[in-house]
Amino acid sequence: MGCCFQGEEKMLIYEYLPNKSLDFFIFDERRRVLLNWNRCLMIIEGIAQGLLYLHKHSRLRVIHRDVKASNILLDAEMNPKISDFGLAKMFSSNDTEANTKRVVGTYGYMAPEYASEGLYSTKSDVFSFGVLILEIIIGKRNSGFHQYEDFLNLLGYAWHLWSEGRWLELVDASLVSECHHTLEMMRCINIALLCVQENAVDRPNMSDVVTMLSSTIMALPEPKHPAYFHVRVAKEETSSSAEPCSANDVTISSPRGR
């Protein structure tokens, strides 16, 4: 809506969004019940449309690089707004990817090629969006100090249950009762797993994602295994509260909202 400058300080003025951020709802047991399935789906579709605009319809292509629950703000009607473009990169419409020696982002949302090689593209945002879909449906964080059976992250656990046909066990208890929406839930989990596939070339672009979300009859591809799905806890290990370490001088921020 505007900006202001004073000395070296620069500030952007945004519209006031009274419902805070998405993580305020999906990771809180009391507030989560306020999000029924229709509202969850509306939020998922709204984020997808926002990313599609950034990747394709904006005058300059924008790669956000930090898509996560705390960066999705909610207005009075719970419509999602993508925020915090401090790490975003702009490209001409002909460019699709770039490389950086200084990796910045949030642990648990970073695509593997970005975390290990500094290579980022629109498919990096697609990966983060896939993680976000799973968190919305499951109601738990991908990373942190949670452990899902013998998996250290939500992606491996989700893939494990999906491959065994037990995907319904992933859905948060507050949504399971809406049994007439189970087909939509299954499709969203399928789409999320397509978005978090290990190889960027296997992931859909946001145009494909929006099309898949808007159709109830379109046949969806079967996803390949996600990134990090093999990260498990050795049986002799015990849980630790240590912060995750990083090679290659990666800057990792907390997935929790500020």
Coordinates of all heavy atoms in Angstrom, one line a residue, residues 191-221:
I191 N -1.4 -34.6 -5.0 CA -0.7 -33.4 -5.6 C 0.5 -32.9 -4.7 O 1.5 -32.6 -5.3 CB -1.8 -32.2 -5.7 CG1 -2.8 -32.6 -6.7 CG2 -1.1 -30.9 -6.1 CD1 -4.1 -31.7 -6.7
A192 N 0.3 -33.0 -3.4 CA 1.4 -32.6 -2.5 C 2.6 -33.4 -2.8 O 3.8 -33.0 -2.8 CB 1.0 -32.6 -1.1
L193 N 2.4 -34.8 -2.9 CA 3.5 -35.7 -3.1 C 4.1 -35.5 -4.5 O 5.3 -35.7 -4.6 CB 3.0 -37.1 -2.9 CG 2.7 -37.5 -1.4 CD1 2.1 -38.9 -1.4 CD2 4.0 -37.5 -0.5
L194 N 3.4 -35.1 -5.4 CA 3.9 -34.8 -6.7 C 4.8 -33.5 -6.6 O 5.9 -33.5 -7.3 CB 2.8 -34.5 -7.8 CG 2.0 -35.7 -8.2 CD1 0.8 -35.2 -9.0 CD2 2.8 -36.7 -9.1
C195 N 4.4 -32.6 -5.8 CA 5.2 -31.4 -5.6 C 6.5 -31.6 -4.9 O 7.5 -30.8 -5.1 CB 4.4 -30.3 -4.9 SG 3.0 -29.6 -5.8
V196 N 6.6 -32.6 -4.0 CA 7.8 -32.7 -3.2 C 8.7 -33.9 -3.7 O 9.6 -34.3 -3.0 CB 7.5 -33.0 -1.7 CG1 6.7 -31.8 -1.2 CG2 6.6 -34.2 -1.5
Q197 N 8.5 -34.3 -5.0 CA 9.4 -35.3 -5.5 C 10.8 -34.8 -5.5 O 11.1 -33.7 -5.7 CB 8.9 -35.7 -6.9 CG 7.6 -36.4 -6.9 CD 7.1 -36.7 -8.3 OE1 7.0 -37.9 -8.7 NE2 6.7 -35.7 -9.1
E198 N 11.7 -35.8 -5.4 CA 13.1 -35.5 -5.2 C 13.7 -34.7 -6.3 O 14.5 -33.7 -6.1 CB 13.9 -36.8 -4.9 CG 15.4 -36.5 -4.5 CD 16.0 -37.7 -3.8 OE1 15.6 -38.8 -4.1 OE2 17.0 -37.5 -3.1
N199 N 13.5 -35.1 -7.5 CA 14.0 -34.5 -8.7 C 13.1 -33.3 -9.2 O 11.9 -33.6 -9.4 CB 14.2 -35.5 -9.8 CG 15.3 -36.5 -9.5 OD1 16.3 -36.2 -8.9 ND2 15.0 -37.8 -9.9
A200 N 13.7 -32.1 -9.4 CA 12.9 -31.0 -9.7 C 12.1 -31.2 -11.0 O 11.0 -30.8 -11.2 CB 13.8 -29.8 -9.8
V201 N 12.7 -31.9 -12.0 CA 12.1 -32.1 -13.3 C 10.8 -32.9 -13.2 O 9.9 -32.9 -14.0 CB 13.1 -32.8 -14.3 CG1 13.4 -34.3 -13.8 CG2 12.6 -32.8 -15.7
D202 N 10.7 -33.7 -12.1 CA 9.5 -34.6 -11.9 C 8.3 -33.8 -11.3 O 7.2 -34.3 -11.4 CB 9.8 -35.8 -11.0 CG 10.8 -36.8 -11.7 OD1 10.7 -36.9 -12.9 OD2 11.6 -37.4 -10.9
R203 N 8.6 -32.6 -10.7 CA 7.6 -31.9 -10.1 C 6.8 -31.1 -11.1 O 7.3 -30.6 -12.1 CB 8.2 -30.9 -9.1 CG 8.9 -31.5 -8.0 CD 9.7 -30.5 -7.1 NE 10.9 -31.0 -6.5 CZ 12.0 -30.4 -6.3 NH1 12.1 -29.1 -6.6 NH2 13.0 -31.0 -5.8
P204 N 5.5 -30.9 -10.9 CA 4.7 -30.1 -11.8 C 5.0 -28.6 -11.6 O 5.6 -28.2 -10.6 CB 3.2 -30.4 -11.3 CG 3.4 -30.7 -9.9 CD 4.7 -31.5 -9.8
N205 N 4.7 -27.8 -12.6 CA 4.8 -26.4 -12.4 C 3.5 -25.9 -11.8 O 2.5 -26.7 -11.7 CB 5.1 -25.6 -13.7 CG 4.1 -25.9 -14.8 OD1 2.9 -26.0 -14.6 ND2 4.6 -26.1 -16.0
M206 N 3.4 -24.6 -11.4 CA 2.2 -24.1 -10.7 C 1.0 -24.1 -11.6 O -0.2 -24.2 -11.2 CB 2.5 -22.8 -10.1 CG 3.4 -22.8 -8.9 SD 3.0 -24.0 -7.6 CE 1.3 -23.5 -7.2
S207 N 1.2 -24.0 -12.9 CA 0.0 -24.0 -13.9 C -0.6 -25.4 -13.8 O -1.9 -25.5 -13.7 CB 0.5 -23.8 -15.3 OG 0.9 -22.4 -15.4
D208 N 0.2 -26.4 -13.8 CA -0.3 -27.8 -13.7 C -1.0 -28.0 -12.3 O -2.0 -28.7 -12.2 CB 0.9 -28.8 -13.8 CG 1.5 -28.8 -15.2 OD1 0.8 -28.4 -16.1 OD2 2.8 -29.0 -15.2
V209 N -0.4 -27.5 -11.3 CA -0.9 -27.7 -9.9 C -2.3 -27.0 -9.8 O -3.3 -27.6 -9.3 CB 0.0 -27.1 -8.9 CG1 -0.7 -27.0 -7.5 CG2 1.3 -27.8 -8.8
V210 N -2.5 -25.8 -10.3 CA -3.8 -25.1 -10.3 C -4.8 -25.9 -11.1 O -6.0 -26.1 -10.7 CB -3.6 -23.7 -10.8 CG1 -5.0 -23.1 -11.1 CG2 -2.8 -22.8 -9.9
T211 N -4.4 -26.4 -12.2 CA -5.3 -27.3 -13.0 C -5.8 -28.5 -12.3 O -6.9 -28.9 -12.3 CB -4.7 -27.7 -14.4 OG1 -4.3 -26.5 -15.1 CG2 -5.6 -28.5 -15.2
M212 N -4.8 -29.2 -11.6 CA -5.1 -30.4 -10.9 C -6.0 -30.1 -9.7 O -7.0 -30.9 -9.4 CB -3.8 -31.1 -10.4 CG -3.0 -31.7 -11.5 SD -1.6 -32.7 -11.0 CE -0.5 -31.4 -10.5
L213 N -5.8 -29.0 -9.0 CA -6.6 -28.6 -7.9 C -8.1 -28.3 -8.3 O -9.0 -28.5 -7.5 CB -6.0 -27.4 -7.1 CG -4.8 -27.7 -6.3 CD1 -4.2 -26.5 -5.8 CD2 -5.2 -28.6 -5.1
S214 N -8.2 -27.7 -9.5 CA -9.5 -27.2 -9.9 C -10.4 -28.3 -10.5 O -11.6 -28.1 -10.8 CB -9.4 -26.1 -10.9 OG -8.7 -26.5 -12.1
S215 N -9.8 -29.5 -10.8 CA -10.6 -30.6 -11.4 C -10.8 -31.7 -10.4 O -9.8 -32.1 -9.7 CB -9.8 -31.1 -12.6 OG -10.4 -32.2 -13.2
T216 N -11.9 -32.3 -10.5 CA -12.2 -33.5 -9.7 C -12.2 -34.8 -10.5 O -12.3 -35.9 -9.9 CB -13.6 -33.4 -9.0 OG1 -14.6 -33.2 -10.0 CG2 -13.6 -32.2 -8.0
I217 N -12.0 -34.7 -11.8 CA -12.1 -35.9 -12.7 C -10.7 -36.1 -13.4 O -10.5 -37.1 -14.0 CB -13.2 -35.8 -13.7 CG1 -13.0 -34.5 -14.6 CG2 -14.6 -35.8 -13.0 CD1 -14.0 -34.5 -15.7
M218 N -9.9 -35.1 -13.4 CA -8.6 -35.2 -14.1 C -7.7 -36.3 -13.4 O -7.6 -36.4 -12.2 CB -7.8 -33.9 -14.0 CG -6.4 -34.0 -14.6 SD -5.6 -32.3 -14.4 CE -4.0 -32.7 -15.1
A219 N -7.2 -37.3 -14.2 CA -6.4 -38.3 -13.7 C -5.1 -37.8 -13.2 O -4.4 -37.0 -13.9 CB -6.2 -39.4 -14.7
L220 N -4.7 -38.1 -12.0 CA -3.4 -37.6 -11.5 C -2.3 -38.7 -11.6 O -2.5 -39.8 -11.4 CB -3.6 -37.2 -10.0 CG -4.6 -36.2 -9.6 CD1 -4.6 -35.9 -8.1 CD2 -4.3 -34.9 -10.4
P221 N -1.1 -38.2 -11.9 CA 0.0 -39.2 -12.0 C 0.3 -39.8 -10.6 O 0.0 -39.1 -9.6 CB 1.2 -38.3 -12.5 CG 0.6 -37.1 -13.0 CD -0.7 -36.9 -12.3

